[in-house]
Amino acid sequence: MADSMEADRHCLVTGANRGLGLEFVRQLLARGERVIAACRHPGRATALNTLAGEHPGRLHVLPLDVTVARSREELLHELPLVLDGARLGLLINNAGVLPGGGRFGQVTDADLDTSLRTNAIGPFLLTQVLAPLLADGEGAHAGAVVANLSSEIGSIAGRQEFRTPSYAIGKAAQNMGSVLLAQALAPRGIRVVALHPGWVRTDMGGPQATVSAGDAVAALLRVIEGLGPDTSGVFLDRHGQPIPW
Ligand code: NAP
């Protein structure tokens, strides 16, 4: 197993209460990692709270709305208590939103605003604020990995039809954020990647989607494990294949 995914690291997952986020938490715990599951309403996160009971001391559930500056800062202040002197080895910026509708002529301010704030601004500013708590790479030890859940729908090069404009614009902006974060964090040996999970059966993907959350997350964790020490600022699908920006 590559350094980046050695068991017993501290991993933070956003939007961890359902869908892919919840599945990341399950699979990371099963590998023996320590997990901080961040979600908007911990009191209502039944599945996470059940998991926390099953993994005493290894799963902490903390509040986070990625669109709210104070919420991001409160997480920064809470985390040292959980990390107990350690740093984060893996940050999974998973929280995302897919605004409905979006025919040309009917795109709204509100949908663009929600998508940009949740899909692009949130993960960028959360990574910036948590940067002091990310593990540095030192010698043979790889630094932290920041994995941003993107979508092929955010690929500018791949767009050939007018579809889901608010989501597409939000994910394209997130992709630029990933590249800039990769450059900012490279001197510390911290790698930042944009990952497309496929079309996954979650509330967002719907029941017709072709991939289960379990298979998507297992594949994405393999991609993260397999990242080379200098692989950063890349946009990959769940098989590790590059997606054109
Ligand atoms: P999902 O089932 O709709 O879950 C979205 C998660 O994000 C929920 O936990 C939700 O929390 C959280 N979230 C939304 N806004 C938030 C905010 N402001 N602050 C904190 N958390 C927030 O979606 P999913 O399918 O698991 O998708 C996970 C990621 O994969 C997203 O970034 C998505 O764009 C990406 N993705 C998914 C697919 C797919 O086919 N499913 C394809 C490509 C990319 P609440 O429960 O509080 O709303």
Side-chain angles (χ1 to χ4, degrees):
M1 187 176 284
D3 259 356
S4 59
M5 288 296 296
E6 267 172 12
D8 210 25
R9 293 200 167 206
H10 292 265
C11 308
L12 172 59
V13 182
T14 71
N17 55 305
R18 59 188 170 101
L20 287 166
L22 181 59
E23 188 59 30
F24 272 115
V25 173
R26 282 205 187 100
Q27 293 197 22
L28 288 167
L29 285 171
R31 289 162 175 242
E33 309 273 10
R34 296 175 184 274
V35 182
I36 298 131
C39 62
R40 286 197 273 203
H41 306 290
R44 291 188 229 151
T46 316
L48 280 180
N49 291 319
T50 303
L51 276 175
E54 291 166 3
H55 297 270
R58 301 193 77 81
L59 172 59
H60 292 87
V61 186
L62 294 180
L64 174 69
D65 183 327
V66 296
T67 64
V68 178
R70 188 155 37 138
S71 177
R72 296 189 296 260
E73 278 149 23
E74 280 171 6
L75 182 65
L76 174 70
H77 294 304
E78 286 285 318
L79 274 175
L81 301 172
V82 174
L83 293 173
D84 196 21
R87 299 269 191 96
L88 289 171
L90 178 62
L91 166 59
I92 301 184
N93 281 309
N94 164 80
V97 69
L98 170 61
R103 283 218 190 128
F104 183 64
Q106 294 171 4
V107 182
T108 65
D109 241 353
D111 282 348
L112 277 166
D113 190 74
T114 302
S115 179
L116 282 164
R117 284 184 187 283
T118 313
N119 293 322
I121 298 170
F124 182 82
L125 291 182
L126 182 68
T127 306
Q128 181 177 256
V129 82
L130 297 185
L133 296 179
L134 295 173
D136 293 276
E138 273 179 40
H141 290 281
V145 171
V146 177
N148 291 336
L149 266 287
S150 182
S151 169
E152 65 181 1
I153 292 173
S155 162
I156 293 174
R159 210 79 316 256
Q160 283 163 358
E161 58 182 341
F162 192 95
R163 194 159 64 94
T164 53
S166 301
Y167 187 67
I169 291 168
K171 289 295 186 184
Q174 185 206 68
N175 284 349
M176 176 57 86
S178 297
V179 169
L180 293 176
L181 288 167
Q183 286 166 355
L185 294 169
R188 292 176 52 195
I190 296 167
R191 292 160 292 163
V192 183
V193 292
L195 299 176
H196 169 59
W199 184 23
V200 189
R201 288 188 293 279
T202 60
D203 292 339
M204 184 185 291
Q208 308 302 325
T210 48
V211 188
S212 71
D215 286 351
V217 165
L220 291 174
L221 289 175
R222 275 196 296 275
V223 171
I224 293 169
E225 276 172 33
L227 291 173
D230 299 318
T231 306
S232 191
V234 291
F235 186 15
L236 304 173
D237 69 14
R238 72 179 187 284
H239 307 296
Q241 294 305 306
I243 298 176
W245 294 108

